[in-house]
Amino acid sequence: IAGETSSAYNDIFTLTVVLGRTVGIGAYLVRLGQRTIQKTTASPIILTGYQALNKLMGCDVYTTNDQLGGPGIMYSNGVSHISSTD
């Protein structure tokens, strides 16, 4: 599915709308699609959740998934191109 998503970008108009938490391969596919609208609340795009990262580091660095992949992060980094309340 990742290969198809990547090649589709060159052949047709692709658009991803993120309305809720997107994790793992779903987050990867968002990036491959390259045109993304992300809801402003409760819609982080993450590979790994904040709890797992905190456990790996042995201390509480993150308190929410939005700190890792919320619209404030993904829009600033160019992953999300539009953020919307609805």
Side-chain angles (χ1 to χ4, degrees), residues 36-41 43 71-72 75 80-86:
T36 303
I37 299 171
Q38 186 177 11
K39 187 177 164 192
T40 55
T41 58
S43 61
Y75 183 78
S80 294
H81 301 94
I82 298 172
S83 53
S84 176
T85 56
D86 292 328

Side-chain angles (χ1 to χ4, degrees), residues 17-49:
V17 179
V18 180
L19 299 173
R21 181 176 51 219
T22 305
V23 181
I25 187 67
Y28 185 58
L29 293 174
V30 167
R31 185 65 186 114
L32 289 175
Q34 296 191 31
R35 295 179 192 96
T36 303
I37 299 171
Q38 186 177 11
K39 187 177 164 192
T40 55
T41 58
S43 61
I45 302 168
I46 55 175
L47 294 176
T48 303

Side-chain angles (χ1 to χ4, degrees), residues 58-75:
C59 61
D60 290 342
V61 176
Y62 303 104
T63 56
T64 69
N65 286 323
D66 283 334
Q67 292 175 302
L68 300 170
I73 302 296
M74 293 305 185
Y75 183 78

